[in-house]
Amino acid sequence: MTATENAPLVICGHGMVAQRLIEQLVANGHPFSKIVVFNGEPVSAYNRIQLSSLLANEITETDLVLKPDDWFSQHRIQVHNHTPVTRIDVEQRQVETAHGQYQPYSKLILATGSSPSTLGIPGEGLDGALMFRSLADTRAMIEKAGNYQRAVVIGGGFLGLEAAEGLRARGMAVTVLHRSNRILNRQLDPTSGGMLKTLLERRGLNILTGYAPKALLGKKQVRAVQLQDDTVLATDLVVIATGIAPNTKLAAAAGLRCDRGICVDRQMRTSDSSIYALGECSQFGNETFGLVEPGFHQAQVLAEHLCRHEDGQGFKPVEIPTRLKISGIPIYSCGRVEPGPDTQTIQWRDGPKHRYGRLFIEQDRLVGAMLLGDTANGAWYTDLIRSAQDITDYRSAIAFGKPYCEAAA
């Protein structure tokens, strides 16, 4: 027996997807002597999705906790917080941490997540220029909101809008800058994007679309944002929310095959058969993953594989809906958001109630849906998009929802 055959399962990273994997391994009766987790963050896995609610002062930090500390010890799981892995030795099958520890592994899981994309402009290193990605970022934003009055959020995607709304709820005057001509341009069409902009402005946000920053200004503390047209916006805080990039540096340095993410097969194996990757750091085919739902699916597939159950079909990406609520306004989007040459659309709008819907249909199959204000039919539309079933029998009534269509049929 080699030294690594009795070595533990080692996991690099402890976000929501890594925690879901651990829970699935425990539930499936994993074969490992123990599980060792190296976590770059100072605290164990927490509900990252709820950070916007924490920022908006709707919940407390204790509401973010996924499992109490004693749960890990009860299941032979060692979690080393604030201890990132800095090197993988694939020959010796061991990892090295930032503190100089060496840990052999029988199997290694990379759940290193992603990092916020930077703007690549002068001034990003100034005090008061923050990202919105982690609990530490959120704590810093809450502290700034208690001491300052003005904020600029760069990025009008869902993360940027959640940051803006949270800071507004904390009493700050918030301006959102978005390069595209509409907010949530990856989820909404021009009509619904315009409706949402109007609603958010009525609630107190200042939203500037079609603008991009040129530089952040200040000596040590950020004091203003300079736009491409040289307009200067005075501010005390800048939040950058312009996307994410998979963390591949550790894997690439170990010689694993990487593209935009760490390349994996249907069982989440990397190019080294002893090493797996999942979540935001992974890439399957040409796809990377910025939402938690596909990561949870990957965790289930990998847990079954590691517990020596049948591999089955393995991981298969599906259309993932975006569901969010900003300033009390529910939003849903799944699949196509722009029509193609053969796309037919069904569209409705209720101005007084601030409701909007649009469905995209190709060859009698639903390929996209977006809803603003009333998202009750979202789950059904997701099922129709994923199953690609023929909707001919109830096409004329599909806008009214599943119960209406079933009654009509």
PDB file of all heavy atoms in Angstrom, residues 339-373:
ATOM      1  N   PRO A 339     -34.813  37.526 -29.763  1.00  0.00           N
ATOM      2  CA  PRO A 339     -35.361  36.674 -30.827  1.00  0.00           C
ATOM      3  C   PRO A 339     -34.359  36.447 -31.945  1.00  0.00           C
ATOM      4  O   PRO A 339     -33.539  37.317 -32.251  1.00  0.00           O
ATOM      5  CB  PRO A 339     -36.567  37.477 -31.319  1.00  0.00           C
ATOM      6  CG  PRO A 339     -36.226  38.903 -31.003  1.00  0.00           C
ATOM      7  CD  PRO A 339     -35.422  38.860 -29.743  1.00  0.00           C
ATOM      8  N   GLY A 340     -34.409  35.237 -32.534  1.00  0.00           N
ATOM      9  CA  GLY A 340     -33.624  34.935 -33.717  1.00  0.00           C
ATOM     10  C   GLY A 340     -34.490  35.065 -34.958  1.00  0.00           C
ATOM     11  O   GLY A 340     -35.660  35.445 -34.885  1.00  0.00           O
ATOM     12  N   PRO A 341     -33.954  34.705 -36.116  1.00  0.00           N
ATOM     13  CA  PRO A 341     -34.714  34.855 -37.368  1.00  0.00           C
ATOM     14  C   PRO A 341     -35.964  33.988 -37.425  1.00  0.00           C
ATOM     15  O   PRO A 341     -36.915  34.323 -38.141  1.00  0.00           O
ATOM     16  CB  PRO A 341     -33.704  34.464 -38.447  1.00  0.00           C
ATOM     17  CG  PRO A 341     -32.646  33.671 -37.741  1.00  0.00           C
ATOM     18  CD  PRO A 341     -32.579  34.230 -36.364  1.00  0.00           C
ATOM     19  N   ASP A 342     -35.986  32.870 -36.695  1.00  0.00           N
ATOM     20  CA  ASP A 342     -37.145  31.961 -36.726  1.00  0.00           C
ATOM     21  C   ASP A 342     -37.927  31.972 -35.424  1.00  0.00           C
ATOM     22  O   ASP A 342     -38.718  31.063 -35.159  1.00  0.00           O
ATOM     23  CB  ASP A 342     -36.667  30.532 -37.030  1.00  0.00           C
ATOM     24  CG  ASP A 342     -35.915  30.440 -38.357  1.00  0.00           C
ATOM     25  OD1 ASP A 342     -36.386  31.055 -39.336  1.00  0.00           O
ATOM     26  OD2 ASP A 342     -34.865  29.776 -38.391  1.00  0.00           O
ATOM     27  N   THR A 343     -37.713  33.002 -34.590  1.00  0.00           N
ATOM     28  CA  THR A 343     -38.365  33.054 -33.284  1.00  0.00           C
ATOM     29  C   THR A 343     -39.684  33.809 -33.363  1.00  0.00           C
ATOM     30  O   THR A 343     -39.775  34.867 -33.984  1.00  0.00           O
ATOM     31  CB  THR A 343     -37.456  33.759 -32.260  1.00  0.00           C
ATOM     32  OG1 THR A 343     -36.162  33.156 -32.278  1.00  0.00           O
ATOM     33  CG2 THR A 343     -38.039  33.646 -30.858  1.00  0.00           C
ATOM     34  N   GLN A 344     -40.690  33.231 -32.737  1.00  0.00           N
ATOM     35  CA  GLN A 344     -41.959  33.927 -32.555  1.00  0.00           C
ATOM     36  C   GLN A 344     -42.091  34.273 -31.076  1.00  0.00           C
ATOM     37  O   GLN A 344     -41.618  33.530 -30.206  1.00  0.00           O
ATOM     38  CB  GLN A 344     -43.127  33.046 -33.002  1.00  0.00           C
ATOM     39  CG  GLN A 344     -43.078  32.705 -34.489  1.00  0.00           C
ATOM     40  CD  GLN A 344     -44.145  31.691 -34.879  1.00  0.00           C
ATOM     41  OE1 GLN A 344     -44.341  30.707 -34.192  1.00  0.00           O
ATOM     42  NE2 GLN A 344     -44.829  31.951 -35.982  1.00  0.00           N
ATOM     43  N   THR A 345     -42.719  35.397 -30.791  1.00  0.00           N
ATOM     44  CA  THR A 345     -42.818  35.830 -29.402  1.00  0.00           C
ATOM     45  C   THR A 345     -44.265  36.088 -29.001  1.00  0.00           C
ATOM     46  O   THR A 345     -45.109  36.446 -29.818  1.00  0.00           O
ATOM     47  CB  THR A 345     -42.004  37.113 -29.152  1.00  0.00           C
ATOM     48  OG1 THR A 345     -42.555  38.184 -29.914  1.00  0.00           O
ATOM     49  CG2 THR A 345     -40.545  36.906 -29.525  1.00  0.00           C
ATOM     50  N   ILE A 346     -44.526  35.856 -27.734  1.00  0.00           N
ATOM     51  CA  ILE A 346     -45.788  36.237 -27.098  1.00  0.00           C
ATOM     52  C   ILE A 346     -45.425  37.222 -26.002  1.00  0.00           C
ATOM     53  O   ILE A 346     -44.577  36.946 -25.154  1.00  0.00           O
ATOM     54  CB  ILE A 346     -46.512  35.019 -26.498  1.00  0.00           C
ATOM     55  CG1 ILE A 346     -46.883  34.017 -27.600  1.00  0.00           C
ATOM     56  CG2 ILE A 346     -47.754  35.452 -25.733  1.00  0.00           C
ATOM     57  CD1 ILE A 346     -47.456  32.717 -27.070  1.00  0.00           C
ATOM     58  N   GLN A 347     -46.053  38.376 -26.026  1.00  0.00           N
ATOM     59  CA  GLN A 347     -45.644  39.461 -25.148  1.00  0.00           C
ATOM     60  C   GLN A 347     -46.872  40.103 -24.510  1.00  0.00           C
ATOM     61  O   GLN A 347     -47.903  40.267 -25.157  1.00  0.00           O
ATOM     62  CB  GLN A 347     -44.879  40.496 -25.980  1.00  0.00           C
ATOM     63  CG  GLN A 347     -44.136  41.550 -25.208  1.00  0.00           C
ATOM     64  CD  GLN A 347     -43.243  42.380 -26.133  1.00  0.00           C
ATOM     65  OE1 GLN A 347     -43.069  42.050 -27.309  1.00  0.00           O
ATOM     66  NE2 GLN A 347     -42.675  43.435 -25.610  1.00  0.00           N
ATOM     67  N   TRP A 348     -46.780  40.438 -23.230  1.00  0.00           N
ATOM     68  CA  TRP A 348     -47.873  41.144 -22.570  1.00  0.00           C
ATOM     69  C   TRP A 348     -47.315  42.124 -21.545  1.00  0.00           C
ATOM     70  O   TRP A 348     -46.204  41.979 -21.065  1.00  0.00           O
ATOM     71  CB  TRP A 348     -48.831  40.157 -21.898  1.00  0.00           C
ATOM     72  CG  TRP A 348     -48.252  39.332 -20.793  1.00  0.00           C
ATOM     73  CD1 TRP A 348     -48.294  39.609 -19.458  1.00  0.00           C
ATOM     74  CD2 TRP A 348     -47.526  38.096 -20.913  1.00  0.00           C
ATOM     75  NE1 TRP A 348     -47.648  38.623 -18.744  1.00  0.00           N
ATOM     76  CE2 TRP A 348     -47.180  37.677 -19.611  1.00  0.00           C
ATOM     77  CE3 TRP A 348     -47.147  37.293 -22.003  1.00  0.00           C
ATOM     78  CZ2 TRP A 348     -46.464  36.509 -19.365  1.00  0.00           C
ATOM     79  CZ3 TRP A 348     -46.437  36.136 -21.763  1.00  0.00           C
ATOM     80  CH2 TRP A 348     -46.107  35.749 -20.465  1.00  0.00           C
ATOM     81  N   ARG A 349     -48.125  43.154 -21.268  1.00  0.00           N
ATOM     82  CA  ARG A 349     -47.669  44.199 -20.350  1.00  0.00           C
ATOM     83  C   ARG A 349     -48.864  44.795 -19.626  1.00  0.00           C
ATOM     84  O   ARG A 349     -49.893  45.076 -20.242  1.00  0.00           O
ATOM     85  CB  ARG A 349     -46.933  45.287 -21.131  1.00  0.00           C
ATOM     86  CG  ARG A 349     -46.429  46.447 -20.277  1.00  0.00           C
ATOM     87  CD  ARG A 349     -45.593  47.396 -21.101  1.00  0.00           C
ATOM     88  NE  ARG A 349     -45.074  48.497 -20.300  1.00  0.00           N
ATOM     89  CZ  ARG A 349     -44.227  49.418 -20.746  1.00  0.00           C
ATOM     90  NH1 ARG A 349     -43.802  49.353 -22.004  1.00  0.00           N
ATOM     91  NH2 ARG A 349     -43.812  50.388 -19.962  1.00  0.00           N
ATOM     92  N   ASP A 350     -48.710  44.947 -18.317  1.00  0.00           N
ATOM     93  CA  ASP A 350     -49.720  45.595 -17.489  1.00  0.00           C
ATOM     94  C   ASP A 350     -49.026  46.768 -16.805  1.00  0.00           C
ATOM     95  O   ASP A 350     -48.401  46.616 -15.752  1.00  0.00           O
ATOM     96  CB  ASP A 350     -50.281  44.606 -16.466  1.00  0.00           C
ATOM     97  CG  ASP A 350     -51.410  45.186 -15.625  1.00  0.00           C
ATOM     98  OD1 ASP A 350     -51.520  46.432 -15.575  1.00  0.00           O
ATOM     99  OD2 ASP A 350     -52.167  44.416 -15.023  1.00  0.00           O
ATOM    100  N   GLY A 351     -49.128  47.940 -17.442  1.00  0.00           N
ATOM    101  CA  GLY A 351     -48.412  49.112 -16.958  1.00  0.00           C
ATOM    102  C   GLY A 351     -48.749  49.508 -15.537  1.00  0.00           C
ATOM    103  O   GLY A 351     -47.851  49.682 -14.697  1.00  0.00           O
ATOM    104  N   PRO A 352     -50.034  49.675 -15.196  1.00  0.00           N
ATOM    105  CA  PRO A 352     -50.378  50.109 -13.835  1.00  0.00           C
ATOM    106  C   PRO A 352     -49.877  49.167 -12.745  1.00  0.00           C
ATOM    107  O   PRO A 352     -49.546  49.601 -11.643  1.00  0.00           O
ATOM    108  CB  PRO A 352     -51.908  50.159 -13.866  1.00  0.00           C
ATOM    109  CG  PRO A 352     -52.252  50.384 -15.307  1.00  0.00           C
ATOM    110  CD  PRO A 352     -51.208  49.628 -16.075  1.00  0.00           C
ATOM    111  N   LYS A 353     -49.835  47.857 -13.035  1.00  0.00           N
ATOM    112  CA  LYS A 353     -49.379  46.886 -12.037  1.00  0.00           C
ATOM    113  C   LYS A 353     -47.895  46.542 -12.190  1.00  0.00           C
ATOM    114  O   LYS A 353     -47.370  45.692 -11.470  1.00  0.00           O
ATOM    115  CB  LYS A 353     -50.220  45.612 -12.128  1.00  0.00           C
ATOM    116  CG  LYS A 353     -51.667  45.814 -11.710  1.00  0.00           C
ATOM    117  CD  LYS A 353     -52.431  44.503 -11.702  1.00  0.00           C
ATOM    118  CE  LYS A 353     -53.863  44.706 -11.223  1.00  0.00           C
ATOM    119  NZ  LYS A 353     -54.632  43.431 -11.223  1.00  0.00           N
ATOM    120  N   HIS A 354     -47.234  47.193 -13.151  1.00  0.00           N
ATOM    121  CA  HIS A 354     -45.797  46.987 -13.381  1.00  0.00           C
ATOM    122  C   HIS A 354     -45.475  45.521 -13.645  1.00  0.00           C
ATOM    123  O   HIS A 354     -44.548  44.951 -13.051  1.00  0.00           O
ATOM    124  CB  HIS A 354     -44.986  47.507 -12.185  1.00  0.00           C
ATOM    125  CG  HIS A 354     -45.360  48.894 -11.755  1.00  0.00           C
ATOM    126  ND1 HIS A 354     -45.234  49.993 -12.577  1.00  0.00           N
ATOM    127  CD2 HIS A 354     -45.891  49.357 -10.587  1.00  0.00           C
ATOM    128  CE1 HIS A 354     -45.651  51.073 -11.943  1.00  0.00           C
ATOM    129  NE2 HIS A 354     -46.067  50.710 -10.733  1.00  0.00           N
ATOM    130  N   ARG A 355     -46.238  44.927 -14.525  1.00  0.00           N
ATOM    131  CA  ARG A 355     -46.028  43.525 -14.885  1.00  0.00           C
ATOM    132  C   ARG A 355     -45.725  43.410 -16.376  1.00  0.00           C
ATOM    133  O   ARG A 355     -46.306  44.125 -17.195  1.00  0.00           O
ATOM    134  CB  ARG A 355     -47.259  42.686 -14.543  1.00  0.00           C
ATOM    135  CG  ARG A 355     -47.528  42.586 -13.047  1.00  0.00           C
ATOM    136  CD  ARG A 355     -48.803  41.820 -12.781  1.00  0.00           C
ATOM    137  NE  ARG A 355     -49.057  41.687 -11.349  1.00  0.00           N
ATOM    138  CZ  ARG A 355     -50.143  41.130 -10.833  1.00  0.00           C
ATOM    139  NH1 ARG A 355     -51.086  40.634 -11.643  1.00  0.00           N
ATOM    140  NH2 ARG A 355     -50.297  41.051  -9.532  1.00  0.00           N
ATOM    141  N   TYR A 356     -44.836  42.486 -16.676  1.00  0.00           N
ATOM    142  CA  TYR A 356     -44.431  42.288 -18.073  1.00  0.00           C
ATOM    143  C   TYR A 356     -44.033  40.831 -18.260  1.00  0.00           C
ATOM    144  O   TYR A 356     -43.479  40.197 -17.360  1.00  0.00           O
ATOM    145  CB  TYR A 356     -43.238  43.197 -18.409  1.00  0.00           C
ATOM    146  CG  TYR A 356     -42.661  42.992 -19.795  1.00  0.00           C
ATOM    147  CD1 TYR A 356     -43.215  43.622 -20.903  1.00  0.00           C
ATOM    148  CD2 TYR A 356     -41.557  42.162 -19.993  1.00  0.00           C
ATOM    149  CE1 TYR A 356     -42.688  43.440 -22.179  1.00  0.00           C
ATOM    150  CE2 TYR A 356     -41.020  41.974 -21.254  1.00  0.00           C
ATOM    151  CZ  TYR A 356     -41.586  42.618 -22.346  1.00  0.00           C
ATOM    152  OH  TYR A 356     -41.067  42.432 -23.603  1.00  0.00           O
ATOM    153  N   GLY A 357     -44.335  40.308 -19.435  1.00  0.00           N
ATOM    154  CA  GLY A 357     -43.908  38.949 -19.765  1.00  0.00           C
ATOM    155  C   GLY A 357     -43.613  38.823 -21.240  1.00  0.00           C
ATOM    156  O   GLY A 357     -44.230  39.509 -22.084  1.00  0.00           O
ATOM    157  N   ARG A 358     -42.669  37.974 -21.566  1.00  0.00           N
ATOM    158  CA  ARG A 358     -42.347  37.700 -22.968  1.00  0.00           C
ATOM    159  C   ARG A 358     -41.868  36.260 -23.090  1.00  0.00           C
ATOM    160  O   ARG A 358     -41.001  35.818 -22.325  1.00  0.00           O
ATOM    161  CB  ARG A 358     -41.274  38.655 -23.479  1.00  0.00           C
ATOM    162  CG  ARG A 358     -41.086  38.593 -25.002  1.00  0.00           C
ATOM    163  CD  ARG A 358     -40.079  39.627 -25.463  1.00  0.00           C
ATOM    164  NE  ARG A 358     -39.984  39.673 -26.911  1.00  0.00           N
ATOM    165  CZ  ARG A 358     -39.101  40.403 -27.580  1.00  0.00           C
ATOM    166  NH1 ARG A 358     -38.232  41.164 -26.921  1.00  0.00           N
ATOM    167  NH2 ARG A 358     -39.065  40.395 -28.912  1.00  0.00           N
ATOM    168  N   LEU A 359     -42.442  35.529 -24.023  1.00  0.00           N
ATOM    169  CA  LEU A 359     -42.075  34.144 -24.284  1.00  0.00           C
ATOM    170  C   LEU A 359     -41.503  34.042 -25.691  1.00  0.00           C
ATOM    171  O   LEU A 359     -41.989  34.690 -26.618  1.00  0.00           O
ATOM    172  CB  LEU A 359     -43.302  33.236 -24.152  1.00  0.00           C
ATOM    173  CG  LEU A 359     -44.079  33.316 -22.839  1.00  0.00           C
ATOM    174  CD1 LEU A 359     -45.278  32.381 -22.877  1.00  0.00           C
ATOM    175  CD2 LEU A 359     -43.184  32.986 -21.647  1.00  0.00           C
ATOM    176  N   PHE A 360     -40.481  33.208 -25.851  1.00  0.00           N
ATOM    177  CA  PHE A 360     -39.821  33.003 -27.135  1.00  0.00           C
ATOM    178  C   PHE A 360     -40.087  31.570 -27.586  1.00  0.00           C
ATOM    179  O   PHE A 360     -39.797  30.617 -26.843  1.00  0.00           O
ATOM    180  CB  PHE A 360     -38.319  33.244 -27.003  1.00  0.00           C
ATOM    181  CG  PHE A 360     -37.966  34.653 -26.613  1.00  0.00           C
ATOM    182  CD1 PHE A 360     -37.995  35.054 -25.281  1.00  0.00           C
ATOM    183  CD2 PHE A 360     -37.610  35.584 -27.573  1.00  0.00           C
ATOM    184  CE1 PHE A 360     -37.683  36.349 -24.914  1.00  0.00           C
ATOM    185  CE2 PHE A 360     -37.279  36.887 -27.221  1.00  0.00           C
ATOM    186  CZ  PHE A 360     -37.324  37.264 -25.891  1.00  0.00           C
ATOM    187  N   ILE A 361     -40.615  31.409 -28.775  1.00  0.00           N
ATOM    188  CA  ILE A 361     -41.038  30.103 -29.271  1.00  0.00           C
ATOM    189  C   ILE A 361     -40.371  29.823 -30.614  1.00  0.00           C
ATOM    190  O   ILE A 361     -40.345  30.686 -31.499  1.00  0.00           O
ATOM    191  CB  ILE A 361     -42.571  30.050 -29.428  1.00  0.00           C
ATOM    192  CG1 ILE A 361     -43.246  30.276 -28.065  1.00  0.00           C
ATOM    193  CG2 ILE A 361     -43.025  28.717 -30.022  1.00  0.00           C
ATOM    194  CD1 ILE A 361     -44.733  30.538 -28.159  1.00  0.00           C
ATOM    195  N   GLU A 362     -39.834  28.616 -30.746  1.00  0.00           N
ATOM    196  CA  GLU A 362     -39.265  28.156 -32.015  1.00  0.00           C
ATOM    197  C   GLU A 362     -39.713  26.726 -32.261  1.00  0.00           C
ATOM    198  O   GLU A 362     -39.589  25.874 -31.370  1.00  0.00           O
ATOM    199  CB  GLU A 362     -37.738  28.235 -31.996  1.00  0.00           C
ATOM    200  CG  GLU A 362     -37.198  29.659 -31.963  1.00  0.00           C
ATOM    201  CD  GLU A 362     -35.678  29.721 -31.960  1.00  0.00           C
ATOM    202  OE1 GLU A 362     -35.042  28.635 -31.980  1.00  0.00           O
ATOM    203  OE2 GLU A 362     -35.129  30.833 -31.937  1.00  0.00           O
ATOM    204  N   GLN A 363     -40.247  26.469 -33.439  1.00  0.00           N
ATOM    205  CA  GLN A 363     -40.705  25.127 -33.831  1.00  0.00           C
ATOM    206  C   GLN A 363     -41.653  24.538 -32.778  1.00  0.00           C
ATOM    207  O   GLN A 363     -41.531  23.377 -32.386  1.00  0.00           O
ATOM    208  CB  GLN A 363     -39.508  24.201 -34.070  1.00  0.00           C
ATOM    209  CG  GLN A 363     -38.610  24.681 -35.203  1.00  0.00           C
ATOM    210  CD  GLN A 363     -37.404  23.789 -35.420  1.00  0.00           C
ATOM    211  OE1 GLN A 363     -37.042  22.985 -34.568  1.00  0.00           O
ATOM    212  NE2 GLN A 363     -36.776  23.914 -36.575  1.00  0.00           N
ATOM    213  N   ASP A 364     -42.590  25.366 -32.320  1.00  0.00           N
ATOM    214  CA  ASP A 364     -43.614  24.968 -31.354  1.00  0.00           C
ATOM    215  C   ASP A 364     -43.043  24.505 -30.025  1.00  0.00           C
ATOM    216  O   ASP A 364     -43.635  23.690 -29.325  1.00  0.00           O
ATOM    217  CB  ASP A 364     -44.510  23.869 -31.949  1.00  0.00           C
ATOM    218  CG  ASP A 364     -45.308  24.365 -33.136  1.00  0.00           C
ATOM    219  OD1 ASP A 364     -45.865  25.472 -33.042  1.00  0.00           O
ATOM    220  OD2 ASP A 364     -45.349  23.658 -34.168  1.00  0.00           O
ATOM    221  N   ARG A 365     -41.884  25.060 -29.687  1.00  0.00           N
ATOM    222  CA  ARG A 365     -41.267  24.753 -28.396  1.00  0.00           C
ATOM    223  C   ARG A 365     -40.816  26.047 -27.732  1.00  0.00           C
ATOM    224  O   ARG A 365     -40.303  26.948 -28.403  1.00  0.00           O
ATOM    225  CB  ARG A 365     -40.084  23.790 -28.550  1.00  0.00           C
ATOM    226  CG  ARG A 365     -40.546  22.366 -28.811  1.00  0.00           C
ATOM    227  CD  ARG A 365     -39.455  21.473 -29.380  1.00  0.00           C
ATOM    228  NE  ARG A 365     -39.922  20.091 -29.466  1.00  0.00           N
ATOM    229  CZ  ARG A 365     -40.708  19.626 -30.429  1.00  0.00           C
ATOM    230  NH1 ARG A 365     -41.141  20.446 -31.388  1.00  0.00           N
ATOM    231  NH2 ARG A 365     -41.086  18.361 -30.450  1.00  0.00           N
ATOM    232  N   LEU A 366     -41.008  26.112 -26.427  1.00  0.00           N
ATOM    233  CA  LEU A 366     -40.600  27.294 -25.677  1.00  0.00           C
ATOM    234  C   LEU A 366     -39.084  27.277 -25.510  1.00  0.00           C
ATOM    235  O   LEU A 366     -38.515  26.302 -25.007  1.00  0.00           O
ATOM    236  CB  LEU A 366     -41.286  27.310 -24.308  1.00  0.00           C
ATOM    237  CG  LEU A 366     -41.133  28.601 -23.488  1.00  0.00           C
ATOM    238  CD1 LEU A 366     -41.828  29.773 -24.165  1.00  0.00           C
ATOM    239  CD2 LEU A 366     -41.695  28.402 -22.075  1.00  0.00           C
ATOM    240  N   VAL A 367     -38.411  28.356 -25.919  1.00  0.00           N
ATOM    241  CA  VAL A 367     -36.947  28.418 -25.826  1.00  0.00           C
ATOM    242  C   VAL A 367     -36.470  29.548 -24.918  1.00  0.00           C
ATOM    243  O   VAL A 367     -35.273  29.650 -24.643  1.00  0.00           O
ATOM    244  CB  VAL A 367     -36.303  28.563 -27.217  1.00  0.00           C
ATOM    245  CG1 VAL A 367     -36.583  27.338 -28.069  1.00  0.00           C
ATOM    246  CG2 VAL A 367     -36.772  29.839 -27.925  1.00  0.00           C
ATOM    247  N   GLY A 368     -37.391  30.379 -24.458  1.00  0.00           N
ATOM    248  CA  GLY A 368     -36.999  31.456 -23.559  1.00  0.00           C
ATOM    249  C   GLY A 368     -38.214  32.089 -22.922  1.00  0.00           C
ATOM    250  O   GLY A 368     -39.310  32.059 -23.486  1.00  0.00           O
ATOM    251  N   ALA A 369     -38.008  32.640 -21.719  1.00  0.00           N
ATOM    252  CA  ALA A 369     -39.105  33.316 -21.021  1.00  0.00           C
ATOM    253  C   ALA A 369     -38.532  34.358 -20.082  1.00  0.00           C
ATOM    254  O   ALA A 369     -37.479  34.147 -19.471  1.00  0.00           O
ATOM    255  CB  ALA A 369     -39.940  32.309 -20.228  1.00  0.00           C
ATOM    256  N   MET A 370     -39.208  35.501 -19.980  1.00  0.00           N
ATOM    257  CA  MET A 370     -38.831  36.515 -18.997  1.00  0.00           C
ATOM    258  C   MET A 370     -40.102  37.090 -18.391  1.00  0.00           C
ATOM    259  O   MET A 370     -41.112  37.278 -19.070  1.00  0.00           O
ATOM    260  CB  MET A 370     -37.958  37.601 -19.621  1.00  0.00           C
ATOM    261  CG  MET A 370     -38.606  38.405 -20.728  1.00  0.00           C
ATOM    262  SD  MET A 370     -37.462  39.616 -21.440  1.00  0.00           S
ATOM    263  CE  MET A 370     -36.240  38.525 -22.170  1.00  0.00           C
ATOM    264  N   LEU A 371     -40.038  37.327 -17.088  1.00  0.00           N
ATOM    265  CA  LEU A 371     -41.190  37.826 -16.340  1.00  0.00           C
ATOM    266  C   LEU A 371     -40.723  38.917 -15.390  1.00  0.00           C
ATOM    267  O   LEU A 371     -39.670  38.788 -14.762  1.00  0.00           O
ATOM    268  CB  LEU A 371     -41.849  36.696 -15.531  1.00  0.00           C
ATOM    269  CG  LEU A 371     -42.334  35.470 -16.315  1.00  0.00           C
ATOM    270  CD1 LEU A 371     -42.706  34.353 -15.341  1.00  0.00           C
ATOM    271  CD2 LEU A 371     -43.518  35.827 -17.197  1.00  0.00           C
ATOM    272  N   LEU A 372     -41.508  39.972 -15.279  1.00  0.00           N
ATOM    273  CA  LEU A 372     -41.222  41.061 -14.366  1.00  0.00           C
ATOM    274  C   LEU A 372     -42.497  41.381 -13.600  1.00  0.00           C
ATOM    275  O   LEU A 372     -43.556  41.566 -14.195  1.00  0.00           O
ATOM    276  CB  LEU A 372     -40.746  42.292 -15.147  1.00  0.00           C
ATOM    277  CG  LEU A 372     -40.475  43.569 -14.339  1.00  0.00           C
ATOM    278  CD1 LEU A 372     -39.206  43.409 -13.513  1.00  0.00           C
ATOM    279  CD2 LEU A 372     -40.354  44.779 -15.251  1.00  0.00           C
ATOM    280  N   GLY A 373     -42.413  41.413 -12.286  1.00  0.00           N
ATOM    281  CA  GLY A 373     -43.562  41.787 -11.469  1.00  0.00           C
ATOM    282  C   GLY A 373     -44.405  40.615 -11.002  1.00  0.00           C
ATOM    283  O   GLY A 373     -44.843  40.574  -9.857  1.00  0.00           O
TER     284      GLY A 373
END
